[in-house]
Amino acid sequence: MCSFSIAFSRDMQSDDSIKSNLEIFRLGITTLTDSIFNSLSSENRKSLLLSIQSEEERSFVRQVVVSELQRKGTQVFLDSSSTNLTTHELQIVAPVLKVSYGDSFHGGFLGESKTNRTVTISFPFIIKENQTNKVLASGTLPYSYSDTVATTMIPMLEQEGIPSTHAPLPEGSIFDKLLEPFIIIGATGIAVYLFFHVRS
C-alpha cells in the first residue's frame, strides 16, 4: 500500500504569477505520477501498459501521465493488445480533480475582493502484473494546492470545455452585503450632487 501526500500553499501573488486551475492540475498530476514512478523497481520502470478509468478529463489526465512517464524514459503502451510488449500495468481508477473557492473577503476597507482557492486531486492507482494479475502496489495519492486570488480573476483561471476547472463562485461576506447598499446610495448621491453642481 502506497501512502503519499503533497500540499502546497501560496500567498497572494501578482496576476502574472498566478497559475490557472488547469496548470495546477497539470502540476499535481505530474507530481503524483513521479511518486508512482519512484515506487517502481528499476526493472518495472522500463515499460508500462497505462489504463485510465475516468468519466471526466480522461484525455487530459492520460496526456499528462504519459508525458511525464516518457520524460523519465518509460515506454508507455495504451492498447491492451500490447500486453505482450510489457509485463506490468498501471491502472488509474476514477481520478478526482476539484476546485473550490472560499467566501470572498477584502484586504482592507473598500479593497479588492479576494477569495481562498483550493485545488485538490485524488489519484487512486493499481500496479499489477499483466500475466498473473498480481497486485504489486495500490493506494490513493492526494494532492492539494491553496492560494489567494482576486475574485475578478476567476473567469481567467477556469478553462472552457473542462468542467473540473470550474467551481461555484464565492459568496460575498456579510460585511460586503451590508456595505453594498451604502456604496450604491453614496455613488448615487455623488452623481446627483455633481449633476446639479455642474449645471449651476
Side-chain angles (χ1 to χ4, degrees):
M1 193 76 162
C2 180
S3 177
F4 180 79
S5 178
I6 282 192
F8 288 92
S9 181
R10 297 285 184 272
D11 294 325
M12 188 68 180
Q13 305 160 328
S14 67
D15 291 354
D16 293 338
S17 66
I18 293 178
K19 293 179 173 61
S20 71
N21 297 339
L22 191 66
E23 288 174 319
I24 298 172
F25 282 148
R26 185 178 297 276
L27 173 65
I29 294 170
T30 298
T31 302
L32 297 178
T33 302
D34 284 349
S35 175
I36 294 173
F37 176 85
N38 292 333
S39 72
L40 295 169
S41 67
S42 57
E43 184 64 28
N44 294 344
R45 292 175 181 176
K46 292 180 179 179
S47 64
L48 282 171
L49 174 64
L50 177 63
S51 170
I52 298 179
Q53 302 166 18
S54 174
E55 294 183 5
E56 285 192 2
E57 305 359 333
R58 178 181 174 182
S59 59
F60 169 67
V61 173
R62 182 171 62 185
Q63 185 273 325
V64 177
V65 173
V66 168
S67 177
E68 183 61 15
L69 288 174
Q70 288 181 331
R71 190 183 71 82
K72 291 180 171 297
T74 301
Q75 198 173 17
V76 182
F77 298 91
L78 301 176
D79 190 344
S80 58
S81 64
S82 304
T83 52
N84 60 323
L85 300 175
T86 179
T87 58
H88 294 86
E89 179 179 356
L90 167 59
Q91 293 182 353
I92 298 174
V93 187
V96 178
L97 285 65
K98 184 179 178 182
V99 178
S100 62
Y101 306 110
D103 290 343
S104 62
F105 62 92
H106 291 274
F109 184 70
L110 297 181
E112 185 178 31
S113 176
K114 303 175 184 178
T115 183
N116 293 321
R117 171 181 63 170
T118 303
V119 180
T120 56
I121 302 173
S122 179
F123 224 53
F125 76 97
I126 297 171
I127 301 172
K128 66 183 185 71
E129 293 180 347
N130 283 331
Q131 300 303 320
T132 64
N133 282 328
K134 179 182 178 181
V135 175
L136 302 179
S138 67
T140 299
L141 304 183
Y143 176 93
S144 178
Y145 180 106
S146 61
D147 63 358
T148 303
V149 298
T151 55
T152 54
M153 288 190 64
I154 289 177
M156 294 178 283
L157 300 176
E158 300 178 337
Q159 183 75 30
E160 186 177 355
I162 302 184
S164 61
T165 65
H166 295 256
L169 294 176
E171 293 187 5
S173 64
I174 294 176
F175 177 75
D176 289 338
K177 293 173 182 176
L178 292 174
L179 187 62
E180 186 175 357
F182 292 101
I183 293 175
I184 294 172
I185 292 169
T188 303
I190 292 172
V192 170
Y193 170 79
L194 290 175
F195 176 75
F196 286 105
H197 182 73
V198 170
R199 288 186 64 187
S200 61

